[in-house]
Amino acid sequence: MKSSTEVDPRPDHEPDEVVPQHDVVCLHGGEGAGEWFAQQLDALGARAWEPRNGVNFDVTGPPGQMDEWVEAASSALYESTAGPAHILASGTAAYGAIMLAALHPEQVKSVILGDPLVDTSVEGFVPTLRRVLAPSLVIAAAPDLDADISIPQSIAGGIRNGVFVIIDNTAVPAHQSRSHSFNEWSRSFMNIAEGLHTVTETQEEHSA
């Protein structure tokens, strides 16, 4: 799967009703995950996760805070999912999802990143992207022609199986302002990722 750019031409298109077979987990950087992803929970059959005990995700925070958030998310997945899950994150939590996919690939079926806010100068940023093996979809809202989409575009380009989608004429965050389009792209991509996983498993069985 190569990195590509697409513009959503169907602002009023309704998503279909096909729900991914694997768990869909929306990761949030702090409190209020259910409200932040309210328009994804039912539409994608997803559930929201947020850290407990004040462990917020902050790439500029104290040393170890970011790792603590990632490990907390990983532990939650082990406790509540039966196998790898589709991971959805937006804003500042996007880099946490990237780290989770890089450090715990066995837990991640696919990665969906909405309007990621990432400090690309963080040490290890590029190597971390390269370690992500799961198919990854990066969705960026473009309110106008002058919108800066360089960060989400660079993230999609840095991930081996990354795909980049622009939803134009859309306010940030796209998962709220154009939830139908966002959910449709996400659902379609997750279903493709599940198909790729099935093909890989079949090939491995035949070669065993």
Side-chain angles (χ1 to χ4, degrees):
M1 188 181 301
K2 297 181 179 179
S3 178
S4 62
T5 303
E6 300 181 41
V7 177
D8 177 19
R10 299 159 294 174
D12 299 318
H13 186 71
E14 294 288 336
D16 55 40
E17 297 299 325
V18 179
V19 176
Q21 297 179 7
H22 289 74
D23 289 338
V24 181
V25 181
C26 302
L27 304 181
H28 197 42
E31 298 179 350
E35 181 179 355
W36 183 249
F37 291 110
Q39 298 180 69
Q40 281 67 55
L41 300 185
D42 289 338
L44 299 178
R47 56 190 177 81
W49 176 86
E50 62 187 49
R52 298 177 181 177
N53 302 324
V55 182
N56 295 328
F57 185 86
D58 184 359
V59 293
T60 63
Q65 185 184 59
M66 188 162 51
D67 294 336
E68 187 177 358
W69 184 95
V70 172
E71 293 309 313
S74 174
S75 296
L77 289 177
Y78 273 125
E79 294 171 0
S80 60
T81 60
H86 299 285
I87 301 301
L88 192 156
S90 69
T92 56
Y95 192 49
I98 292 170
M99 290 185 62
L100 177 67
L103 297 174
H104 301 282
E106 75 285 355
Q107 292 187 279
V108 180
K109 176 73 66 177
S110 72
V111 180
I112 312 292
L113 303 175
D115 300 301
L117 296 176
V118 175
D119 182 356
T120 57
S121 66
V122 171
E123 184 177 357
F125 172 71
V126 173
T128 299
L129 290 180
R130 291 174 178 168
R131 291 178 63 184
V132 176
L133 302 179
S136 302
L137 172 65
V138 183
I139 301 176
D144 51 54
L145 294 176
D146 297 324
D148 184 1
I149 56 172
S150 58
I151 289 178
Q153 189 171 28
S154 68
I155 291 173
I159 296 175
R160 183 182 309 176
N161 293 319
V163 175
F164 182 45
V165 167
I166 301 171
I167 304 182
D168 61 341
N169 301 317
T170 301
V172 177
H175 77 281
Q176 294 180 351
S177 61
R178 285 274 290 280
S179 60
H180 288 305
S181 293
F182 184 95
N183 292 342
E184 181 187 4
W185 281 113
S186 299
R187 183 186 295 104
S188 297
F189 189 81
M190 288 186 284
N191 288 331
I192 291 172
E194 291 181 349
L196 291 174
H197 183 74
T198 300
V199 170
T200 301
E201 285 184 333
T202 302
Q203 291 175 341
E204 291 176 349
E205 290 175 356
H206 288 168
S207 61

